[in-house]
Amino acid sequence: MGAPSGLKDDCEALLSRFQEMDSVRFEDFTELWRSMKFGTIFCGRMRNLEKNTFTKEALTLAWRYFLPPYTFQIRVGALYLLYGLYNMQLCQPKQKIRVALKDWDEILKFQQDLINAQHFDAAYIFRKLRLDRAFHFTAMPKLLSYRMKKKMQRAEITEEFKDPNDRVLKLITSDVLEEMMNVHDHYQRMKHVISADKSNPEKSINLIKDDFFENIKNIVLEHQQWHKDRKKPPLKLKVKGGEEKSERNSQQSERCERAESLAKIKSKAFSVVVQASKSRRHRQVKVDFSDSESGQVQTKTTRKRRNKETLKPAGRKVSSRDRGDMQNIHMEDKSLSLSMPVVTEEDEENESFSETEFTAPKRRRKQRTKS
Amino acid sequence: MAEDSRGDPACGGMDGRQDPVPSSGGFSFPEYELPELNTHAFHVAAFGELWRGRLRGEGDLSLKEPPGDREVTDSGCEDAAAARDLGCSLETAAELRAVCGLDKLRCLEEGEDPEVIPENTDLVTLGIRKRLLKHREETLRIDRACRQETFAYEMESHAVGKKPENSADMIEEGELILSHKEHKPYQTMLVLGSQKLTELRDSICCVSDLQIGGEFSNTPDQAPENISKDLYKSAFFYFEGTFYNDKRYPECRDLSRTIIEWSESHDRGYGKFQTAKMEDFTFNDLYIKVGFPYLYCHQGDCEHVVVITDIRLVHHDDCLDKTLYPLIIKKHWLWTRKCFVCKMFTARWVTNNDSFAPQDPCFFCDVCFRMLHYDAEGNKLGEFLAYPYVDPGTFN
């Protein structure tokens, strides 16, 4: 389109207000939608041709926010936005939403995530769009006609809507960690096998730090934490001022949301099933929020546990490693479970152990934030 | 001649195809080769298969009217289906139906006109539109669609939703629609994956096809009926290293041979070109890049750049009548040249070196031409050269 039609501003306004609500419920979205009277965006005596072009442009714009790298909440908001735009359009027959082959698998995965996390309203809406046959299944997202002369405006990705670009996490993925763990494990076993004394490997071949692998894992975890803490505080402050009821509600959904997204990130890093989020949600509700502003459950539990466990760090480290090794030998195919709180007693203890290793990095972190 | 090497669509790969498919290795998953410009080459039918495989059995491909449109729906049955798909309880499904109903999205009250922009709106879009409307009201006396706009809209939507009378003409589910854009004359056409290349060739209207060769100042009544289209029937398409020649008639010649010989004479840096028969191939058999310019050549040297801008699965709202395809959906409106004398009729003659004409060349409609250049008995007056003229705007 030639002249800017203000569509991008309006959509981003809606989505950022939805993001501030920190909820993924359709009811909240429709409240926003009605308060902004977004459905009237099609009003204004557009003639047929203009109506078609405008609607096509609106749907294409909203679609962009539905795909990665936007955050989960923005993507759900974009889904609702697409639903709203598709159903409130004035074109007859309705303009369709274009979906390219390369994006379809990602979308199905998203749908599955929604169902797993029990966001039934979002899943219902996507299903409804499909039943209404609102999609055109295409080769590429937009029409290509080899326009070399027209300077293609690179679609700018709104930074606030994106997940932080975590290069550390991209480097050390769950696969890499699992690989490392297996190699480490194998190496230790080899050392045991070739040394004379079967229980203790020879000192002369002690060439690496035994806890190297765990240290890496903890550092990565802690880095994730830092990322989230960096991002969350400004939003959290906004939520605090409000009516008690809505605060409770929004906190509830916020907790759920945060728990869910936390669990998602963790699970991505350590290939643990997202189902952990359910258990997390219950746990989080119990935790006392009045302690600190950040309201991160992880840090809370770590602080509590840390106070108990600071006494014998060195000894603990060894035992945790042994236990970790034993576990690994038992569960070869299962991914790392050393610090992921799946609902078993054993793992709870493990969490506490691994948190001890947090002491050193935690101190470092404090220094960083102060300076 | 590679006419027998039709790629096997089912296998999704490039086996059995001799033509030089570029380095992509013949995958059928469309991906950008040059970002935002064009994709790698892929096999059309295999691409279709990839989509159909993902959507089988989900009702996405059906061409019947979707059930959601009808008012009276069995809500209990709907809830059960929803509960089954989402893995939730029946109560939840019923609740969802209420929560996600369209009434939650309505922003206009009953009786409010959707044409009127509401007051005190925050939306930037509406602000801009309001200003534009105000400006139009102030500057235009009559605010209605101009001819070009109506024409463009008509072209886009004239065939939408058309169902064939004969059910045998119905498009099948899962058919692919390619959007084919041609330059000079600018037109965009929709063509079905199962249609042959020759059908597209026949539907491309180029004015050079209609030219009538020859000078007819002495014998204006004998302007032959044969247009170039009938005389010179050869044509070819060039896609991805293969020239598809039209060989339906014995007069058709292989126009691509010149190019192939030229490229092979020295090491020009082009791969080996193949030739094939246009009538043997459908669009489903081709390897093409979406967004990449290819060539259509006819009349010996009349060349058109063609681009496949889009490929998608057929939808129930599309035109479902097979016989209407290739379907023109966008066409450049061309102003026709009118007769110099009456300024009313489209020009049918053009003259050169004409002593009667104020300019060279000069255009005349049939009546004015004869009135000016011939007497009542039909004798030629004065000196001039006259050629029959076919205006490009004839196709409007």
Side-chain angles (χ1 to χ4, degrees):
Chain A
M1 284 243 81
S5 58
L7 259 178
K8 188 157 193 261
D9 299 324
D10 288 329
C11 288
E12 294 205 342
L14 179 65
L15 286 175
S16 62
R17 279 167 73 172
F18 185 63
Q19 191 182 39
E20 281 169 30
M21 281 180 120
D22 234 355
S23 145
V24 284
R25 298 277 76 83
F26 186 61
E27 293 160 300
D28 299 327
F29 181 83
T30 46
E31 254 178 61
L32 255 187
W33 175 274
R34 281 196 301 269
S35 79
M36 284 178 82
K37 287 203 169 175
F38 212 86
T40 59
I41 206 166
F42 295 109
C43 295
R45 285 204 334 228
M46 285 191 285
R47 288 193 290 262
N48 283 329
L49 197 63
E50 196 190 341
K51 251 195 282 192
N52 282 353
T53 340
F54 177 75
T55 312
K56 265 188 248 185
E57 195 194 334
L59 290 174
T60 317
L61 187 69
W63 179 255
R64 280 214 321 258
Y65 295 104
F66 184 46
L67 299 172
Y70 291 104
T71 67
F72 181 76
Q73 200 182 11
I74 292 294
R75 291 177 72 180
V76 177
L79 174 62
Y80 295 152
L81 177 62
L82 279 169
Y83 183 67
L85 287 174
Y86 179 76
N87 284 303
M88 293 287 114
Q89 67 176 294
L90 300 171
C91 301
Q92 199 55 251
K94 289 194 155 63
Q95 293 295 324
K96 313 287 185 288
I97 306 170
R98 288 176 64 90
V99 49
L101 183 62
K102 60 189 172 84
D103 298 325
W104 184 247
D105 294 330
E106 173 62 48
I107 289 164
L108 285 185
K109 193 160 75 73
F110 187 68
Q111 163 88 333
Q112 199 52 46
D113 285 346
L114 288 176
I115 294 180
N116 292 343
Q118 305 208 321
H119 293 303
F120 288 126
D121 45 7
Y124 182 84
I125 287 200
F126 180 74
R127 177 178 171 271
K128 185 138 199 311
L129 278 175
R130 251 180 107 168
L131 282 179
D132 290 342
R133 284 194 230 129
F135 296 110
H136 265 166
F137 301 105
T138 69
M140 297 307 282
K142 58 175 186 163
L143 269 64
L144 302 168
S145 46
Y146 211 74
R147 293 200 168 163
M148 304 229 59
K149 293 198 185 147
K150 281 198 181 175
K151 253 272 161 110
M152 282 285 117
Q153 288 153 332
R154 307 227 106 226
E156 297 134 21
I157 300 182
T158 319
E159 283 305 316
E160 300 84 53
F161 294 169
K162 245 183 15 170
D163 265 327
N165 193 7
D166 199 347
R167 293 186 68 96
V168 174
L169 213 54
K170 277 187 193 153
L171 183 63
I172 307 195
T173 63
S174 59
D175 292 338
V176 168
L177 278 172
E178 194 167 335
E179 190 69 33
M180 263 201 268
M181 178 182 85
N182 289 334
V183 168
H184 183 80
D185 182 47
H186 192 66
Y187 177 66
Q188 300 290 56
R189 271 187 279 160
M190 286 306 292
K191 281 205 289 190
H192 277 270
V193 162
I194 63 170
S195 51
D197 175 4
K198 292 296 174 188
S199 54
N200 265 334
E202 262 168 47
K203 292 280 157 61
S204 55
I205 49 173
N206 243 6
L207 296 166
I208 62 155
K209 281 198 191 154
D210 285 335
D211 50 3
F212 148 82
F213 171 64
E214 278 141 33
N215 280 342
I216 282 211
K217 176 183 50 83
N218 294 324
I219 291 173
V220 169
L221 246 187
E222 190 236 298
H223 175 84
Q224 259 176 32
Q225 205 50 47
W226 173 74
H227 247 296
K228 260 196 308 303
D229 290 344
R230 204 168 58 117
K231 192 179 161 206
K232 286 295 186 180
L235 288 177
K236 213 22 191 125
L237 292 170
K238 279 185 196 163
V239 175
K240 281 283 177 189
E243 288 171 274
E244 210 194 70
K245 188 178 177 203
S246 60
E247 188 183 329
R248 214 181 303 134
N249 279 346
S250 60
Q251 271 194 349
Q252 195 89 357
S253 49
E254 182 186 28
R255 267 177 243 149
C256 302
E257 199 30 51
R258 198 163 294 138
E260 214 262 310
S261 52
L262 246 174
K264 259 183 85 116
I265 294 172
K266 283 253 165 84
S267 72
K268 270 189 222 154
F270 297 106
S271 328
V272 172
V273 182
V274 183
Q275 278 158 11
S277 66
K278 251 192 176 162
S279 58
R280 312 217 100 240
R281 224 187 286 150
H282 295 313
R283 275 163 146 237
Q284 283 195 301
V285 171
K286 290 182 196 148
V287 170
D288 184 16
F289 260 83
S290 52
D291 267 350
S292 78
E293 319 121 12
S294 70
Q296 293 297 324
V297 179
Q298 287 308 95
T299 47
K300 283 211 183 327
T301 50
T302 55
R303 279 195 206 130
K304 284 192 177 162
R305 300 278 167 85
R306 183 164 41 114
N307 295 332
K308 292 181 210 160
E309 246 76 46
T310 36
L311 296 173
K312 297 176 209 163
R316 292 285 184 172
K317 275 188 189 167
V318 172
S319 58
S320 78
R321 202 232 330 145
D322 278 344
R323 191 178 290 225
D325 281 348
M326 271 191 346
Q327 275 195 328
N328 292 339
I329 290 169
H330 289 312
M331 308 178 285
E332 269 139 17
D333 294 340
K334 240 185 170 191
S335 53
L336 184 63
S337 55
L338 285 173
S339 67
M340 283 314 294
V342 184
V343 189
T344 62
E345 211 187 303
E346 198 179 358
D347 289 340
E348 244 183 274
E349 282 183 272
N350 266 343
E351 186 192 23
S352 68
F353 289 149
S354 57
E355 302 310 78
T356 60
E357 271 109 55
F358 262 103
T359 57
K362 274 264 163 24
R363 270 185 223 123
R364 262 192 274 123
R365 179 157 69 109
K366 285 218 163 123
Q367 281 175 352
R368 250 188 283 152
T369 50
K370 272 182 189 166
S371 63
Chain B
M1 293 282 269
E3 47 200 45
D4 48 354
S5 62
R6 298 167 84 143
D8 180 10
C11 68
M14 57 163 280
D15 345 69
R17 189 107 180 151
Q18 296 160 321
D19 41 3
V21 176
S23 55
S24 58
F27 55 91
S28 18
F29 216 89
E31 280 287 354
Y32 279 122
E33 180 181 51
L34 289 178
E36 310 292 315
L37 282 183
N38 64 277
T39 65
H40 288 293
F42 60 91
H43 193 268
V44 174
F47 156 76
E49 220 11 77
L50 283 177
W51 257 129
R52 286 190 286 271
R54 281 162 171 73
L55 298 174
R56 217 151 268 164
E58 301 283 337
D60 296 293
L61 296 177
S62 163
L63 295 177
K64 303 197 189 61
E65 288 301 319
D69 278 1
R70 283 175 265 130
E71 287 301 326
V72 182
T73 40
D74 182 359
S75 40
C77 183
E78 233 182 72
D79 288 344
R84 191 189 49 223
D85 287 339
L86 301 176
C88 64
S89 67
L90 212 57
E91 297 88 50
T92 318
E95 200 188 310
L96 284 172
R97 189 162 42 86
V99 165
C100 302
L102 293 183
D103 50 314
K104 298 282 185 298
L105 293 170
R106 292 206 200 287
C107 300
L108 294 171
E109 308 299 317
E110 282 300 317
E112 252 189 290
D113 187 8
E115 298 294 307
V116 176
I117 298 182
E119 295 299 324
N120 45 284
T121 172
D122 291 328
L123 296 173
V124 177
T125 317
L126 289 183
I128 294 176
R129 201 175 294 153
K130 221 188 248 189
R131 281 204 302 276
L132 206 65
L133 276 178
K134 197 152 159 280
H135 180 255
R136 282 209 323 235
E137 256 168 61
E138 286 166 8
T139 53
L140 298 174
R141 225 188 300 166
I142 304 174
D143 191 1
R144 63 175 182 83
C146 61
R147 268 184 287 179
Q148 283 84 344
E149 192 182 320
T150 318
F151 178 70
Y153 177 68
E154 275 305 311
M155 284 260 100
E156 219 178 79
S157 51
H158 73 281
V160 162
K162 278 214 176 117
K163 309 275 189 301
E165 288 167 8
N166 185 359
S167 61
D169 290 334
M170 187 77 159
I171 299 182
E172 286 165 18
E173 268 181 31
E175 176 75 81
L176 289 172
I177 294 190
L178 293 99
S179 185
H180 185 274
K181 183 168 166 177
E182 197 202 326
H183 289 252
K184 290 189 180 15
Y186 293 99
Q187 56 188 67
T188 304
M189 283 187 275
L190 296 180
V191 68
L192 298 174
S194 58
Q195 288 189 305
K196 298 211 190 104
L197 295 182
T198 45
E199 292 177 67
L200 178 64
R201 181 250 198 270
D202 290 336
S203 71
I204 294 182
C205 331
C206 171
V207 74
S208 67
D209 275 337
L210 302 175
Q211 298 301 340
I212 303 167
E215 204 274 314
F216 291 100
S217 54
N218 300 310
T219 52
D221 300 319
Q222 284 169 28
E225 295 306 309
N226 292 350
I227 53 176
S228 306
K229 188 167 189 167
D230 301 327
L231 289 174
Y232 310 113
K233 295 208 179 83
S234 325
F236 72 78
F237 277 107
Y238 171 78
F239 291 117
E240 287 301 308
T242 309
F243 290 93
Y244 298 90
N245 289 290
D246 190 352
K247 284 288 173 82
R248 286 174 292 176
Y249 308 99
E251 308 88 63
C252 294
R253 298 205 323 218
D254 186 355
L255 297 174
S256 57
R257 205 145 47 99
T258 332
I259 303 174
I260 296 179
E261 281 165 5
W262 170 85
S263 120
E264 284 173 358
S265 58
H266 299 289
D267 181 17
R268 312 248 182 212
Y270 296 105
K272 188 147 179 14
F273 290 127
Q274 314 276 337
T275 53
K277 281 201 203 158
M278 209 195 273
E279 58 270 22
D280 287 343
F281 286 85
T282 65
F283 279 95
N284 277 331
D285 300 326
L286 297 179
Y287 278 84
I288 45 164
K289 297 184 188 178
V290 173
F292 194 74
Y294 293 114
L295 193 69
Y296 167 63
C297 176
H298 65 143
Q299 301 292 327
D301 63 351
C302 182
E303 296 178 350
H304 304 264
V305 171
V306 301
V307 179
I308 309 275
T309 55
D310 180 34
I311 308 183
R312 60 174 174 83
L313 288 173
V314 68
H315 190 272
H316 73 267
D317 274 337
D318 292 324
C319 170
L320 296 177
D321 188 347
K322 240 194 290 196
T323 56
L324 291 176
Y325 284 89
L327 181 66
I328 300 183
I329 54 167
K330 209 166 179 186
K331 216 168 146 113
H332 200 63
W333 171 285
L334 292 163
W335 292 104
T336 56
R337 236 189 266 273
K338 302 288 191 290
C339 166
F340 188 81
V341 178
C342 61
K343 308 271 199 300
M344 276 205 312
F345 294 103
T346 311
R348 294 262 317 273
W349 289 93
V350 60
T351 58
N352 291 116
N353 302 333
D354 193 349
S355 40
F356 296 112
Q359 61 191 32
D360 195 324
C362 193
F363 297 89
F364 298 95
C365 67
D366 200 46
V367 173
C368 299
F369 174 70
R370 286 170 201 279
M371 271 206 302
L372 184 59
H373 296 92
Y374 301 91
D375 63 16
E377 281 85 47
N379 301 317
K380 180 173 169 181
L381 308 166
E383 285 303 313
F384 59 90
L385 299 165
Y387 306 91
Y389 174 73
V390 182
D391 193 272
T394 319
F395 294 117
N396 280 356

